[in-house]
């Protein structure tokens, strides 16, 4: 008679039931999960899906860039069903991070990096995406593209979804 295989309990979640208010801790929990969130968002976003995957997210930097006079931040974004955000001037935090992505064509795969400048607002309900800019750097030392507003991109949507899940766990 074969021996019964002992069942191994699932690993403990990385977030112990609380979505952190500390930005460094929040980003350290977000970045390992972000590729899977982004990949699901990418697959759902287009009926003409082109094979593209986020492989890795990392290298966070928290030193904010100076913002000159006249900088206008759009209102803090909300997910459907979120309560109205109290306060007219939430504190805005900046974080930079990099993703490694792979795009497949009929004959080859191309890896490239995306550089993201994420603005987060700390509200009474937790962190919210305020705005995001991204640049793309293709291989072989090419100059990165100019920054573009990526506040509605798949990556920004993935961050919003992760933050929403984090708030639900909290």
């Amino acid at each position: 008679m074969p021996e019964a295989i002992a069942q191994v309990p699932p690993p403990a979640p990385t977030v112990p039931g609380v979505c952190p208010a500390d930005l460094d801790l929040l980003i350290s929990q977000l970045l390992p999960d972000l590729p899977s969130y982004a990949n699901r968002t990418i697959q759902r976003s287009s009926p003409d899906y082109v094979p593209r995957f986020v492989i890795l997210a990392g290298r966070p930097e928290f030193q904010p860039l100076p913002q000159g006079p006249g900088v206008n931040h759009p209102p803090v974004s909300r997910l459907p069903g979120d309560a109205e955000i109290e306060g007219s001037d939430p504190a805005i935090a900046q974080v930079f991070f990099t993703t490694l992505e792979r795009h497949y064509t009929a004959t080859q795969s191309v890896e490239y990096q995306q550089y993201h400048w994420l603005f987060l607002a700390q509200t009474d309900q937790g962190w919210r995406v305020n705005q995001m800019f991204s640049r793309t750097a293709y291989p072989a030392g090419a100059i990165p593209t100019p920054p573009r507003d990526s506040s509605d991109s798949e990556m920004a949507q993935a961050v919003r979804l992760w933050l929403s899940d984090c708030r639900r766990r909290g």
Side-chain angles (χ1 to χ4, degrees):
M1 178 163 217
E3 285 185 38
I5 298 174
Q7 290 197 353
V8 178
T14 57
V15 180
V18 176
C19 195
D22 177 73
L23 181 64
D24 291 359
L25 184 56
L26 179 86
I27 298 302
S28 73
Q29 292 178 1
L30 164 69
L31 290 180
D33 293 343
L34 193 54
S36 63
Y37 274 78
N39 290 331
R40 287 191 302 271
T41 303
I42 290 166
Q43 289 176 356
R44 293 177 190 148
S45 69
S46 173
D48 301 325
Y49 173 68
V50 175
R52 176 171 64 103
F53 299 94
V54 177
I55 301 167
L56 183 65
R59 297 179 44 198
E61 296 180 26
F62 299 95
Q63 184 65 36
L65 290 179
Q67 299 175 32
V71 173
N72 181 23
H73 295 290
V76 175
S77 60
R78 297 186 295 132
L79 290 171
D82 280 353
E84 186 64 38
I85 297 170
E86 298 294 326
S88 59
D89 189 28
I92 303 294
Q94 300 177 38
V95 64
F96 299 89
F97 66 94
T98 303
T99 57
L100 177 63
E101 301 184 24
R102 185 176 295 140
H103 176 102
Y104 292 94
T105 67
T107 59
Q108 65 180 351
S109 69
V110 178
E111 286 188 358
Y112 54 94
Q113 290 185 336
Q114 297 266 11
Y115 303 102
H116 306 282
W117 184 15
L118 177 63
F119 292 86
L120 295 170
Q122 176 66 289
T123 70
D124 292 341
Q125 293 82 28
W127 291 101
R128 307 282 190 204
V129 173
N130 189 19
Q131 192 170 26
M132 189 164 129
F133 294 93
S134 300
R135 298 177 76 176
T136 303
Y138 290 96
I143 297 172
T145 62
R148 66 188 179 285
D149 185 342
S150 57
S151 300
D152 293 322
S153 69
E154 290 110 347
M155 187 61 65
Q157 291 172 25
V159 172
R160 283 186 188 93
L161 183 58
W162 187 92
L163 290 170
S164 175
D165 287 351
C166 187
R167 287 190 299 272
R168 275 192 216 104
R169 288 189 297 254

